[in-house]
């Protein structure tokens, strides 16, 4: 064991760092404060943090990671976290997740696993703001595509893998539409702590994401079915074989994802925005965001909550259907399950499968539905759905503004535009749209939107109801002659 303030780097220090400190470090927060709690208020069962669960043993409901906050040593104000930037050589404080360790103190610093995740930025953009209909200076994009695996998943995966390592896991598994598998595979490959086992549906993952999982050496299991089918199987297999499950049904995943909101507040000089707009798939992000702001408000670190908008793709609109059409609400934790069961039965009878170009949110049965309902309640939230046409148009405008994103990310911008058109969002509101994944996660959709090849356009996008590319940036075909090339450049630039 190294002495205090020395680091042990079992792998190249620029890539993977496992931080080791002695127990008497005065800067480390307490870590015996954490426990797991059932979200069902009629149950409320609690379990120790050092145990592996994805649901309550007593009632089967979802679990939260909770803390004895009255025993915690917390900053008096959020701006005190700025001092952590003075510790940039400390890999814990370099991480955009673990920099806020005091707000997720379930693990001692000597057990933290990090690959330098969370070095993301909040970009204020008037070009995209004009498209949405916002006043200048009011629209911000939180670009999570800058994470090591190219998506927001690394925020939660570093927390889940940290807990898995604490539990001595040798294998970790997930069902995935792509980003979760890429993130899990990266952490397992980089740390050599455990083997990644990923479940994907047939033809339901983009090559950009699949290539990552394969390159990082994950055991990839492709089943006949979609994400929802893969989710059922990975739960069964994980339970049968004792494999650590890292999907967002794992409550430690969501602890890491809380920090996206902390970084947004940091970038806004600790001022709370008016709106957080996020794509809705498995609903882990929206659930984590609600938990983050609820905790900050309860701890007196913020004085108000932003509003939350969760945006479904119209081809995968379960949350929209349940909330906006069937009236399902959190209701103090007493969720009326009848409309949910009825809708699930309807999807089964009709053989309805999620179908959207936004593959990262192509999910019919979101596992974090109840937690998302809670977030919508505490943040006075709304739910909307947008078409693949609206998503790709918004994606093109984001790209033209210099921040390329995968299709699912652009659902947040398309949703903000819709809410602005409806008058729900005011042009003077400060709005943050979450861009969840990098542009190169799904290059096929991008190329198809901008192509001059109508056959490619129709094959990739036309079947999904996309009929035009109003914001396409098409290549210009010219003869291989200098004069013709110069004329074309002069004409079009």
């Amino acid at each position: 064991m190294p002495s205090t303030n020395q680091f042990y780097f079992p792998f190249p220090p620029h890539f993977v760092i496992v931080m080791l400190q002695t127990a008497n470090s005065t800067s480390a927060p307490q870590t015996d404060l954490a426990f797991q709690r059932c979200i069902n208020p009629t149950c409320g069962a609690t379990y120790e943090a050092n145990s592996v669960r994805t649901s309550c043993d007593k009632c089967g409901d979802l679990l939260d990671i909770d803390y004895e906050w009255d025993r915690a040593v917390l900053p008096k104000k959020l701006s005190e976290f700025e001092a952590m930037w003075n510790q940039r050589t400390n890999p814990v404080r370099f991480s955009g997740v673990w920099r806020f360790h005091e707000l997720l103190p379930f693990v001692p610093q000597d057990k933290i696993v990090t690959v330098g995740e969370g070095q993301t930025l909040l970009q204020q953009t008037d070009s995209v703001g004009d498209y949405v209909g916002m006043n200048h200076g009011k629209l911000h994009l939180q670009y999570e595509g800058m994470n090591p695996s190219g998506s927001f998943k690394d925020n939660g995966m570093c927390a889940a893998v940290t807990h898995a390592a604490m539990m001595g896991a040798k294998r970790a598994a997930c069902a995935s539409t792509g980003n979760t598998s890429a993130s899990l595979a990266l952490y397992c490959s980089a740390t050599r702590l455990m083997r990644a086992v990923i479940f994907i549906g047939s033809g339901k993952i983009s090559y950009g994401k699949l290539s990552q999982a394969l390159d990082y050496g994950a055991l990839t299991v492709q089943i006949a079915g979609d994400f929802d089918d893969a989710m059922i199987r990975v739960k069964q297999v994980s339970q049968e074989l004792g494999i650590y499950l890292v999907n967002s049904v794992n409550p430690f995943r969501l602890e890491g994802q809380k920090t996206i909101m902390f970084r947004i507040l940091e970038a806004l000089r600790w001022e709370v925005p008016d709106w957080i707009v996020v794509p809705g798939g498995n609903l882990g992000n929206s659930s984590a965001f609600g938990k983050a702001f609820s905790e900050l408000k309860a701890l007196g670190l913020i004085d108000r909550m932003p509003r939350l908008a969760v945006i479904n793709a119209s081809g995968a609109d379960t949350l929209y259907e349940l909330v906006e059409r069937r009236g399902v609400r959190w209701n103090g934790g007493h969720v009326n399950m009848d409309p949910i069961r009825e809708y699930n039965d309807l999807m089964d009878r009709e053989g309805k499968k999620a179908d959207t170009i936004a593959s990262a949110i192509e999910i019919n049965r979101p596992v974090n539905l109840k937690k998302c309902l809670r977030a919508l309640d505490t943040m006075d939230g709304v739910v909307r759905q947008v078409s693949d046409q609206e998503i790709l148009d918004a994606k093109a405008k984001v790209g033209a503004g210099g921040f390329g994103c995968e299709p699912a990310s652009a659902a947040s911008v398309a949703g903000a535009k819709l809410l602005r058109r409806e008058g729900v969002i005011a042009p003077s509101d400060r709005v943050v749209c979450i861009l969840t994944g990098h542009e190169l996660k799904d290059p096929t959709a991008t190329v198809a939107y901008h192509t001059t090849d109508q056959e490619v356009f129709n094959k990739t996008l036309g079947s999904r109801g996309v009929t035009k590319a109003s914001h396409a940036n098409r290549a210009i075909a010219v003869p291989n002659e200098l004069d013709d090339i110069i004329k074309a450049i002069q004409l079009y630039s």
Side-chain angles (χ1 to χ4, degrees):
M1 173 70 69
S3 61
T4 305
N5 296 326
Q6 291 182 328
F7 306 143
Y8 169 54
F9 301 106
F11 305 102
H14 67 282
F15 187 42
V16 179
I17 302 162
V18 179
M19 173 67 184
L20 297 178
Q21 288 186 332
T22 56
N24 63 357
S25 173
T26 57
S27 63
Q30 289 176 265
T31 54
D32 61 343
L33 313 172
F35 59 97
Q36 302 184 62
R37 185 198 299 275
C38 177
I39 69 168
N40 187 336
T42 61
C43 176
T46 61
Y47 309 94
E48 62 179 10
N50 290 336
S51 61
V52 180
R53 286 178 172 83
T54 55
S55 62
C56 176
D57 294 352
K58 295 183 178 179
C59 73
D61 224 323
L62 296 170
L63 297 170
D64 272 334
I65 305 304
D66 207 347
Y67 304 93
E68 297 178 49
W69 290 115
D70 58 334
R71 295 176 51 225
V73 179
L74 295 168
K76 292 183 174 62
K77 52 186 180 180
L78 285 172
S79 59
E80 291 182 19
F81 279 107
E82 292 174 14
M84 303 310 171
W85 282 100
N86 293 328
Q87 303 176 35
R88 296 287 285 170
T89 57
N90 178 339
V92 171
R93 298 308 187 182
F94 178 82
S95 166
V97 173
W98 300 112
R99 184 161 74 248
F100 303 98
H101 189 200
E102 285 78 3
L103 295 175
L104 54 157
F106 67 84
V107 57
Q109 286 194 0
D110 65 343
K111 300 297 183 183
I112 282 175
V113 177
T114 174
V115 298
E117 60 287 317
Q119 303 303 314
T120 61
L121 58 81
L122 184 72
Q123 176 70 21
Q124 193 277 313
T125 170
D126 288 334
S127 64
V128 182
D130 289 340
Y131 175 74
V132 171
M134 303 299 299
N135 293 348
H136 281 195
K138 294 299 182 179
L139 186 75
H140 298 76
L141 304 177
Q142 176 65 18
Y143 189 40
E144 289 299 305
M146 295 177 71
N147 272 292
S149 78
S151 87
F152 76 93
K153 300 287 187 178
D154 296 349
N155 295 282
M157 196 59 66
C158 70
V161 170
T162 291
H163 184 254
M166 288 172 60
M167 296 295 98
K170 299 303 180 186
R171 290 179 293 188
C174 70
S176 182
T177 59
N179 284 329
T180 303
S181 63
S183 184
L184 174 62
L186 182 150
Y187 276 87
C188 289
S189 174
T191 65
R192 299 288 194 264
L193 293 172
M194 59 201 75
R195 180 76 189 278
V197 182
I198 64 173
F199 286 64
I200 61 173
S202 301
K204 292 293 184 177
I205 183 172
S206 72
Y207 278 170
K209 301 169 188 178
L210 179 60
S211 66
Q212 290 179 282
L214 297 175
D215 223 27
Y216 296 144
L219 173 61
T220 303
V221 181
Q222 186 171 18
I223 69 167
D226 59 10
F227 171 84
D228 298 297
D229 299 315
M231 191 69 231
I232 292 171
R233 293 305 184 195
V234 75
K235 284 182 176 179
Q236 294 171 335
V237 169
S238 295
Q239 183 174 8
E240 183 75 18
L241 298 180
I243 300 176
Y244 189 94
L245 183 63
V246 301
N247 279 100
S248 59
V249 69
N250 180 323
F252 291 94
R253 265 276 307 275
L254 301 193
E255 287 303 284
Q257 285 167 223
K258 290 190 311 186
T259 62
I260 300 172
M261 296 299 100
F262 303 157
R263 295 199 299 274
I264 287 172
L265 291 174
E266 183 179 49
L268 294 176
R269 309 305 301 149
W270 312 108
E271 293 182 6
V272 177
D274 297 302
W275 284 92
I276 300 292
V277 188
V278 61
N282 229 5
L283 305 180
N285 263 343
S286 51
S287 300
F289 299 170
K291 187 174 188 290
F293 283 112
S294 293
E295 289 176 345
L296 293 178
K297 184 71 162 54
L299 294 171
L301 294 172
I302 57 174
D303 58 6
R304 69 182 183 90
M305 305 271 278
R307 296 191 68 184
L308 176 68
V310 183
I311 312 300
N312 281 166
S314 57
D317 63 348
T318 295
L319 183 67
Y320 178 80
E321 174 71 29
L322 293 176
V323 171
E324 299 296 332
R325 291 177 177 160
R326 298 178 183 242
V328 177
R329 296 292 185 271
W330 173 242
N331 193 29
H334 304 285
V335 178
N336 182 0
M337 298 299 295
D338 290 339
I340 300 173
R341 283 190 287 265
E342 290 168 4
Y343 187 59
N344 285 340
D345 290 343
L346 176 64
M347 288 192 291
D348 288 340
R349 289 196 305 272
E350 295 182 351
K352 181 180 179 181
K353 298 291 185 181
D355 185 24
T356 171
I357 195 67
S359 60
I361 54 175
E362 194 177 46
I363 296 168
N364 264 347
R365 287 175 169 79
V367 299
N368 285 295
L369 173 61
K370 279 192 176 182
K371 287 185 178 180
C372 180
L373 293 173
R374 181 178 62 183
L376 290 167
D377 181 73
T378 59
M379 297 179 68
D380 190 20
V382 299
V383 183
R384 293 293 186 270
Q385 62 168 341
V386 291
S387 68
D388 282 6
Q389 180 74 67
E390 292 170 307
I391 287 172
L392 289 177
D393 287 343
K395 179 184 179 307
K397 295 301 290 186
V398 170
F403 287 88
C405 64
E406 67 171 319
S409 297
S412 61
V413 175
K417 182 177 177 66
L418 172 61
L419 289 166
R420 176 68 201 95
R421 187 166 66 243
E422 293 177 349
V424 177
I425 289 178
S428 58
D429 286 344
R430 180 181 276 180
V431 177
V432 177
C433 293
I434 311 300
L435 301 184
T436 49
H438 195 280
E439 175 180 30
L440 296 180
K441 288 286 191 171
D442 192 354
T444 302
T446 303
V447 172
Y449 184 88
H450 293 287
T451 188
T452 58
D453 188 328
Q454 192 64 41
E455 183 178 348
V456 171
F457 181 94
N458 291 339
K459 180 180 178 181
T460 306
L461 306 179
S463 61
R464 300 178 184 273
V466 179
T467 60
K468 57 186 178 180
S470 301
H471 308 288
N473 178 30
R474 295 185 174 91
I476 302 166
V478 296
N480 186 17
E481 297 291 340
L482 180 60
D483 288 345
D484 291 316
I485 295 170
I486 291 174
K487 288 177 182 178
I489 291 173
Q490 290 174 331
L491 178 63
Y492 291 104
S493 66

